């Protein structure tokens, strides 16, 4: 029988991984270090090279409810972006982002950010015209 890691331990692991950095294309962390329930997070994605997203930095907010990781987080871009999985207000459409649509307890905030960056490189999004760099919702 598998051991279920409690929500706060899981989020502490994710916070630690985010603080270590990574490949430099994404980052994430708590919005407020005083948020003991670890609900509100920020994320950042650097647009993939040789795409309409190249040389752009995209800021996001991520909300992990009390049911996380059993339920996916709510994700919203703060930086304006034109993508097939993003609604007009910047909210990521859960059903259109593969990792959110097939969410499992093993998925993480990192998984979501990587999937969004990967989606920037798909045929549906690769050439979409983008709002002026630096504009926000």
């Amino acid at each position: 029988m598998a051991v279920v890691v409690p929500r706060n331990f899981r989020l502490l692991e994710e916070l630690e991984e985010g603080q270590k950095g990574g490949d430099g294309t994404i980052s994430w962390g708590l919005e407020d270090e005083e948020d003991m329930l670890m609900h509100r997070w920020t994320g950042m994605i650097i647009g993939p090279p040789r795409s309409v997203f190249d040389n752009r930095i995209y800021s996001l907010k991520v909300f992990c409810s009390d049911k996380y990781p059993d339920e996916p987080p709510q994700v919203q871009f703060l930086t304006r972006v034109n993508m097939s999985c993003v609604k007009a207000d910047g909210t990521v459409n859960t059903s259109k982002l593969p990792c959110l649509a097939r969410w499992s307890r093993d998925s993480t905030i990192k998984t979501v950010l990587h999937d969004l960056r990967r989606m920037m490189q798909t045929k549906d999004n690769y050439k979409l015209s983008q709002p002026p760099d630096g504009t926000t919702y």
Side-chain angles (χ1 to χ4, degrees):
M1 185 152 136
V3 175
V4 176
V5 177
R7 176 188 181 278
N8 283 3
F9 289 155
R10 165 64 180 278
L11 286 170
L12 283 171
E13 288 175 6
E14 291 194 47
L15 178 60
E16 184 177 323
E17 186 176 2
Q19 290 172 334
K20 287 180 182 174
D23 63 7
T25 62
I26 63 168
S27 67
W28 65 97
L30 279 174
E31 180 180 301
D32 178 4
E33 296 292 326
E34 302 297 316
D35 181 8
M36 293 299 156
L37 297 176
M38 294 182 276
H39 284 138
R40 295 178 316 281
W41 295 69
T42 59
M44 184 272 306
I45 300 171
I46 295 179
R50 296 174 301 286
S51 72
V52 294
F53 306 98
D54 192 9
N55 291 321
R56 292 186 177 210
I57 297 174
Y58 295 91
S59 297
L60 303 92
K61 64 180 177 179
V62 179
F63 181 81
C64 297
S65 75
D66 291 334
K67 295 183 180 178
Y68 181 89
D70 294 316
E71 292 183 3
Q74 299 165 8
V75 183
Q76 183 176 13
F77 277 85
L78 299 174
T79 309
R80 290 185 84 69
V81 66
N82 187 11
M83 291 175 64
S84 60
C85 62
V86 178
K87 298 176 185 178
D89 66 354
T91 304
V92 175
N93 186 333
T94 305
S95 65
K96 292 189 177 182
L97 186 67
C99 74
L100 293 178
R102 296 187 309 267
W103 185 259
S104 76
R105 212 179 145 73
D106 295 328
S107 301
T108 63
I109 295 169
K110 178 181 179 179
T111 308
V112 174
L113 296 175
H114 268 302
D115 209 24
L116 283 166
R117 189 168 191 276
R118 186 191 59 74
M119 287 290 289
M120 290 175 172
Q121 300 174 71
T122 63
K123 186 177 72 170
D124 291 346
N125 297 306
Y126 189 75
K127 302 249 185 209
L128 288 178
S129 64
Q130 293 300 309
D133 194 14
T135 56
T136 58
Y137 288 98

